[in-house]
Amino acid sequence: MHELAPLAHALAGYTPRRLRFRRRLKRAAVAVILRESRQGVDVLLAVRAQREGDPWSGDMAFPGGRVDGVDEASASRAACRETAEEVGLTIGRDDGIGRLNDRLTLDHRRRAPMVVSPFVYRLAHPDEPVLNHEIAATRWLALAWLDEPSNRQTMHWPIGHVRIPMPCYHCGDGQRLWGLTLAMLDELRTLTR
């Protein structure tokens, strides 16, 4: 079972990889929001709303979005702003307990590289999420559930005529956890092993 205090301590001593060229590319930031529960540490996941043309519709992800001018080039500020917009939770610098590795991905709107920076926050207050149109639902998932090998499965992601096997979790109700979100959670979970 994961506990928040050792995880926060591990994050305090962790040096995440920050891509040097991140400020020259399009950027996004996500908020990995943790809380303590009877199962140990839970993480907040947002279920993306169904949208035509969005290959990730219905998938689980962290709240977050693009870093833009209003964020004054602060990716952590963007993660906080997007969290408030998407799920109605207020988090700030004082709630931050660390960050994870920058991830290079593809901005599918422009077919260009994009850097995603994940920031980890502790949610001390028990507020309930208030969702906007981008989010269909939220779910608190115990990190301990992700530790069970029997819960981890494989899906096949189509790229052209090829189907690439990818690790995933099927979380019920058609909700699927995979890709960048899963890679970030795997990184977080390894910090306390």
Side-chain angles (χ1 to χ4, degrees):
M1 183 163 80
H2 297 270
E3 294 179 6
L4 196 48
L7 188 52
H9 180 73
L11 279 163
Y14 184 59
T15 305
R17 183 185 72 245
R18 297 177 191 209
L19 298 175
R20 289 184 196 158
F21 52 86
R22 69 186 179 277
R23 296 191 190 279
R24 287 185 252 139
L25 295 176
K26 289 291 181 187
R27 295 182 71 195
V30 296
V32 182
I33 301 173
L34 307 176
R35 72 172 186 188
E36 291 185 287
S37 74
R38 292 181 187 157
Q39 293 82 31
V41 175
D42 293 344
V43 61
L44 179 69
L45 294 164
V47 180
R48 294 171 58 102
Q50 295 290 333
R51 198 178 78 202
E52 191 172 326
D54 181 0
W56 298 277
S57 288
D59 285 347
M60 301 174 86
F62 298 121
R66 296 185 189 283
V67 177
D68 58 31
V70 72
D71 303 310
E72 299 174 18
S74 170
S76 63
R77 189 172 292 133
C80 295
R81 176 184 52 76
E82 287 284 340
T83 296
E85 290 175 10
E86 291 180 352
V87 297
L89 295 178
T90 302
I91 54 173
R93 184 176 298 271
D94 292 342
D95 302 306
I97 57 173
R99 69 175 280 164
L100 301 172
N101 291 331
D102 284 341
R103 305 284 172 161
L104 186 62
T105 189
L106 186 63
D107 179 343
H108 290 277
R109 285 192 258 175
R110 294 177 180 83
R111 307 301 278 170
M114 180 173 71
V115 175
V116 179
S117 299
F119 296 87
V120 185
Y121 299 90
R122 173 187 305 142
L123 187 66
H125 45 86
D127 293 347
E128 285 299 315
V130 178
L131 313 181
N132 76 0
H133 67 281
E134 299 173 64
I135 306 300
T138 58
R139 178 180 186 158
W140 289 99
L141 189 66
L143 292 182
W145 186 82
L146 298 172
D147 290 339
E148 291 295 324
S150 61
N151 292 332
R152 194 163 180 127
Q153 301 171 5
T154 301
M155 60 175 268
H156 291 86
W157 180 251
I159 298 178
H161 297 294
V162 179
R163 295 176 55 81
I164 307 296
M166 304 282 291
C168 73
Y169 291 87
H170 292 283
C171 301
D173 297 329
Q175 298 170 355
R176 181 173 59 186
L177 173 60
W178 70 289
L180 281 178
T181 304
L182 179 53
M184 292 172 196
L185 280 172
D186 283 347
E187 179 185 356
L188 180 69
R189 290 171 39 243
T190 61
L191 294 176
T192 55
R193 287 189 185 151

